[in-house]
Amino acid sequence: MAVKYYWGKPRDVIKWYLRGTLYLSAQSKQHYIEKTGAEPGNLPRHLKLLEELDELFKTVDTDSVALLCLRYVELLSIPDTAKLTGLSNSQISTRTAKVMKKAKEIVAKA
């Protein structure tokens, strides 16, 4: 019996959610820069991460990316995330650190 998902496989849902969030954020920054003439700031690095999102997902497991999303999109602390997920503080720190390390490597290439 095949497993069915309402919105797609969890890995794909998380990846497309992140892609959409990064894209909207980049558009907003670009519009602000064009409107005000501000410096590009971190927009080039932001766009690089958006381009390399597939690379990030190849090297990091989906659960770790989901934890990172939960923490940063919902702005939860590690103890709050631990309470919601049932994981220990150290498990959450370890998993999110792996994702952030890989994302920083990608951004550093920009």
Side-chain angles (χ1 to χ4, degrees), residues 95-106:
R95 290 182 182 187
T96 56
K98 287 178 186 175
V99 180
M100 288 304 295
K101 180 181 178 193
K102 186 61 185 173
K104 287 177 183 178
E105 289 171 4
I106 290 168

Side-chain angles (χ1 to χ4, degrees), residues 12-69:
D12 295 335
V13 171
I14 292 168
K15 185 176 6 175
W16 284 107
Y17 175 78
L18 271 177
R19 188 178 309 280
T21 302
L22 287 170
Y23 179 76
L24 290 175
S25 177
Q27 273 190 320
S28 176
K29 286 179 183 183
Q30 183 66 40
H31 178 71
Y32 177 79
I33 290 167
E34 290 170 358
K35 185 177 176 181
T36 64
E39 294 294 318
N42 68 350
L43 182 60
R45 294 183 304 163
H46 186 116
L47 294 172
K48 180 69 174 175
L49 183 59
L50 185 59
E51 286 175 17
E52 300 293 333
L53 196 59
D54 289 332
E55 180 185 329
L56 178 65
F57 270 79
K58 285 180 189 172
T59 59
V60 179
D61 66 281
T62 306
D63 290 343
S64 295
V65 176
L67 276 174
L68 186 69
C69 292

Side-chain angles (χ1 to χ4, degrees), residues 70-86:
L70 181 63
R71 279 199 59 219
Y72 290 97
V73 174
E74 300 297 333
L75 301 174
L76 298 173
S77 67
I78 290 177
D80 292 336
T81 307
K83 193 182 301 181
L84 284 171
T85 61

